[in-house]
Amino acid sequence: MVTPQLPPVDSLSLRQAIAQMIVVRASGHWFDDERPYPQWEADQATLQRWLQAGVGGVILLGGSAAEVAYKTQQLQSWAAVPLLIAADIEEGVGQRFSGATELPPPMALGEIWVKNPQWAIAFAEAMGEITAQEALSIGINWVLAPVLDVNNNPDNPVINIRAFGETPDQVSDLGTAFIRGAHRHAVLTTAKHFPGHGDTATDSHLTLPTIPHPAERLKTVELPPFAAAIQAGVDAVMTAHLQIPAWDDTYPATLSKSILTGQLRHNLKFSGLIVTDALIMGGVAQFADPDTVAVQAIAAGADILLMPSDVDEAITAIEKAIRGGHLPQHRIYESVGRIWQAKQKILRQNKLIFPLGINRDQKKIQKTLGDILQNAQKQSTTPTKLSAFPDKSARNLIIVDSTLKSSFLRPNCPAITIPQHHGYEPEIIELKTLPKLQLTSEPTLVQCFLRGNPFTGKLIDPVQAIAQIAAQIPLQGVVFYGSPYFLPALQKALGDIPWWFSYGQMAIAQAQICQSLWESPLQPITNATEFI
C-alpha cells in the first residue's frame, strides 16, 4: 500500500488553502434521507463538491459503525488531499455510532479517582486506547476528546458528567491519561473547551455564557488541565464560546486574539491545532454575522473553522478579507502548515485512508466497562431487595428528559426487561410532564435518566416531582442514571425509600443495577449481555 502524499503547502492557491481550514459536518448514515439534522448535515452531492474543492475535513455524527467505515472511504475518495475525519466521541465510538463500544461518562472516573487515583488513571488510559482503536478501525482519525473543563458548577447544563471531575487535579490526571491511551494509536486528540466551560450555568449552544472570574482564578482552576494536556502532547485544542472579561471584554474566546494567541499560543506554548467549537452554535452565531465570525476566528488564531453555517460564503469572506488587507495572508499558510503536520502524523502510519473494520476483544472491553461502572456506583446505606409481583401488578415508571433522544431505551433494554421479569410493567414519561402524571395505587419502581446535554438550556430538577410520587403511592425504590448533582436532595426527599445511582445510562449500567434489585429473577437471567 502506497502512503498518500500531501502537496507542498505553497502549491495551494489561496482559496484552496482557506478550504483546508474548514471542517464540515456530515451524517454517518449512508443515505441522505436518513440524516437526522439535514439543516447542518450536507447531502452527498454538496459534500462531494466541497471535498473536491479542497475542504480539509469532515465531522461525522450518527449511523452504524459499519456504515461509517464505508462512508469514510467514500469521503476520502472524493478528496484530492487526505482528510481529517473527526467525531465527538468523548464516551467511546458507540456514543455516536451504533455497533461500537459506548464508554461510561468521564465523571465516573472522577468518582473512582477520589477513592483510588491509580485505578482511575488506568481506566482513563484504557478508555483512550479503546476509543482510538475503534475510531481508526472505521476511518475516524481525529478524536474530539478529552473534555478538560473543570465542572465545579453543579448547575452546568452542557458539561456536567462529560467532565472528569470538579477539581483541576482530577481533570488533569484523567485527561492526560486518556491522551496517553489514545496515542497508542495514530489518532489526533483534542483538549476542550478552552479556556474552560465548567463554571457556567448556561449552554453555549444556545447563548454566550460569561466566566466572571479574575485572571488569577482562571490561572489556578480553569487552565491547569489544558497546560497538562499540552505537556502530554495533545494534538489540538478546541475553543469555547465564552465571554471572559478578565482577558477580553469585547470578543468571546473563540474570536479573541488575546485568548487564543496570547493565552494559548504564547503563555501556554501550544504549537498544535486550534479548532473552533461549532460556529453554528448560539454562543458565536448571535454575536456577529457568519462572515465576520469566520474572519475574526482566524484573526484570533484559529487554524480550523468547525461547521461554518455556509461553507462557500465563509471561504469567500476570508478571501475578501485577505485581498482587502484586513487579514494577513501568512496567517492562512501558517495554519495550513500546522494542519499538514497533523495529517502527516496520521499518514506516517497509513491509517488515514483505509479503515480496517472493528476488531476488538469484546470480553476484555466489557470487563473494563463493568469494573468502571461498578466502582463508581452509589446506593442507599442499607441494602434493600425489592418485592416481586408475579401477576404483573406493579409499575416501572421510567422518567427521561426527551423520549426522542433516549437511544438507551429499547424494547429489550435491561431497564425494561429485568423489571418485567418481576412483574413491573414499563411506563415511559418525559420529566416536563411528570407533574401531570395520573397516580395509581400499584407498587412503583422509578428509574430516572437525566444528565447534562447540549441544547437542553438548563437542567430540570426532578426531585420535587419524585418526592410527590413517594408521598402518594407505594414507591418501592428509585434508580437514577446520569448526573450525581441531584443525589443529595433526592436522598433527603426519599427518607427510608431505597435508591441506587449509576453515571452510565447504557445497557450494561442498567443491567448492573437492575439485576441487583431482587433476590432472584422470576425467570432465569443468564448474564447482562443477554440484554446488550
Side-chain angles (χ1 to χ4, degrees):
M1 180 172 63
V2 178
T3 302
Q5 299 296 313
L6 298 175
V9 172
D10 58 10
S11 71
L12 300 178
S13 70
L14 177 59
R15 194 168 179 86
Q16 289 173 328
I18 296 168
Q20 280 295 314
M21 299 173 66
I22 305 289
V23 170
V24 299
R25 176 162 160 175
S27 171
H29 291 285
W30 190 253
F31 297 107
D32 282 342
D33 60 5
E34 292 185 291
R35 291 174 294 158
Y37 302 101
Q39 71 273 33
W40 297 328
E41 296 166 344
D43 59 38
Q44 298 276 52
T46 303
L47 199 55
Q48 183 174 10
R49 178 175 65 81
W50 283 342
L51 297 184
Q52 289 175 342
V55 162
V58 178
I59 177 172
L60 292 174
L61 178 67
S64 69
E67 282 179 293
V68 171
Y70 285 105
K71 184 80 174 254
T72 55
Q73 291 186 66
Q74 181 186 64
L75 296 175
Q76 294 287 9
S77 73
W78 287 341
V81 176
L83 297 170
L84 294 176
I85 299 184
D88 270 315
I89 41 180
E90 303 156 5
E91 298 167 28
V93 176
Q95 179 189 13
R96 302 299 186 192
F97 311 107
S98 62
T101 302
E102 184 176 1
L103 297 168
M107 195 171 282
L109 301 187
E111 183 76 33
I112 298 170
W113 183 91
V114 173
K115 298 174 283 190
N116 191 320
Q118 289 74 26
W119 283 10
I121 289 168
F123 284 141
E125 287 191 13
M127 285 177 63
E129 184 171 17
I130 291 166
T131 300
Q133 189 274 326
E134 290 194 3
L136 276 179
S137 70
I138 60 172
I140 294 168
N141 50 50
W142 189 3
V143 174
L144 299 180
V147 171
L148 294 186
D149 305 307
V150 179
N151 196 82
N152 49 17
N153 188 331
D155 295 325
N156 195 317
V158 64
I159 302 301
N160 208 277
I161 60 174
R162 295 166 62 195
F164 283 108
E166 300 174 338
T167 71
D169 288 345
Q170 269 179 313
V171 177
S172 297
D173 283 355
L174 299 175
T176 54
F178 183 98
I179 292 166
R180 287 195 301 273
H183 278 169
R184 292 171 189 158
H185 300 275
V187 297
L188 304 182
T189 54
T190 311
K192 62 186 190 183
H193 307 83
F194 185 84
H197 204 317
D199 197 0
T200 66
T202 52
D203 181 0
S204 58
H205 291 81
L206 302 174
T207 189
L208 181 63
T210 296
I211 302 287
H213 304 301
E216 189 58 34
R217 147 64 195 256
L218 297 170
K219 183 179 178 181
T220 57
V221 176
E222 275 74 21
L223 290 187
F226 292 96
I230 292 167
Q231 194 70 25
V234 73
D235 303 283
V237 171
M238 179 180 285
T239 69
H241 304 325
L242 301 171
Q243 193 81 56
I244 306 176
W247 287 337
D248 191 327
D249 58 7
T250 302
Y251 290 108
T254 296
L255 310 181
S256 170
K257 186 171 184 179
S258 67
I259 294 176
L260 300 192
T261 300
Q263 295 295 329
L264 183 53
R265 284 274 184 238
H266 295 163
N267 291 353
L268 294 184
K269 311 298 183 187
F270 180 61
S271 59
L273 291 176
I274 298 178
V275 55
T276 71
D277 206 345
L279 296 183
I280 51 90
M281 291 166 58
V284 289
Q286 295 169 11
F287 180 82
D289 66 84
D291 291 355
T292 300
V293 166
V295 172
Q296 183 57 37
I298 294 175
D303 299 305
I304 290 180
L305 305 182
L306 180 63
M307 294 174 58
S309 58
D310 188 307
V311 171
D312 298 307
E313 283 191 12
I315 294 172
T316 298
I318 295 163
E319 186 177 25
K320 284 183 177 179
I322 293 167
R323 303 293 188 200
H326 304 296
L327 188 66
Q329 182 167 308
H330 69 81
R331 268 292 297 113
I332 303 302
Y333 288 95
E334 284 174 359
S335 288
V336 175
R338 283 189 278 266
I339 293 167
W340 256 226
Q341 289 176 352
K343 291 186 175 184
Q344 286 287 10
K345 173 183 175 178
I346 304 164
L347 286 169
R348 279 195 295 270
Q349 297 193 37
N350 297 327
K351 297 291 187 181
L352 188 63
I353 298 293
F354 304 100
L356 305 175
I358 289 180
N359 179 18
R360 58 189 177 185
D361 185 339
Q362 188 62 30
K363 286 186 177 180
K364 182 178 178 182
I365 290 174
Q366 289 298 315
K367 184 180 186 308
T368 300
L369 298 187
D371 288 345
I372 293 170
L373 290 165
Q374 191 72 49
N375 280 283
Q377 277 180 17
K378 302 178 182 182
Q379 66 178 62
S380 311
T381 53
T382 303
T384 303
K385 298 296 181 181
L386 302 188
S387 300
F389 295 87
D391 60 353
K392 297 189 181 297
S393 61
R395 174 165 59 179
N396 173 21
L397 183 62
I398 298 174
I399 303 168
V400 298
D401 56 1
S402 169
T403 52
L404 292 177
K405 297 180 180 179
S406 298
S407 59
F408 45 81
L409 286 182
R410 298 176 181 176
N412 67 334
C413 74
I416 292 175
T417 55
I418 294 178
Q420 277 183 320
H421 278 278
H422 303 276
Y424 290 74
E425 288 301 298
E427 179 178 348
I428 301 173
I429 187 170
E430 290 190 349
L431 179 57
K432 63 187 176 184
T433 62
L434 189 58
K436 302 175 184 178
L437 177 69
Q438 296 296 313
L439 296 175
T440 52
S441 60
E442 68 257 56
T444 298
L445 167 68
V446 167
Q447 297 189 79
C448 187
F449 293 81
L450 188 63
R451 56 170 287 175
N453 282 310
F455 294 102
T456 54
K458 66 177 182 178
L459 291 176
I460 302 175
D461 190 340
V463 173
Q464 183 178 356
I466 293 174
Q468 290 174 350
I469 294 173
Q472 299 178 60
I473 63 173
L475 186 58
Q476 303 294 294
V478 175
V479 182
F480 203 102
Y481 304 90
S483 174
Y485 294 111
F486 300 112
L487 284 183
L490 184 65
Q491 294 175 56
K492 184 177 180 181
L494 291 178
D496 294 331
I497 297 172
W499 58 268
W500 297 261
F501 170 79
S502 176
Y503 284 93
Q505 297 182 333
M506 71 284 280
I508 189 171
Q510 299 170 27
Q512 276 189 340
I513 287 187
C514 287
Q515 286 187 323
S516 73
L517 300 184
W518 292 273
E519 289 289 355
S520 59
L522 297 180
Q523 301 175 35
I525 300 175
T526 56
N527 56 59
T529 57
E530 176 181 335
F531 303 99
I532 299 172

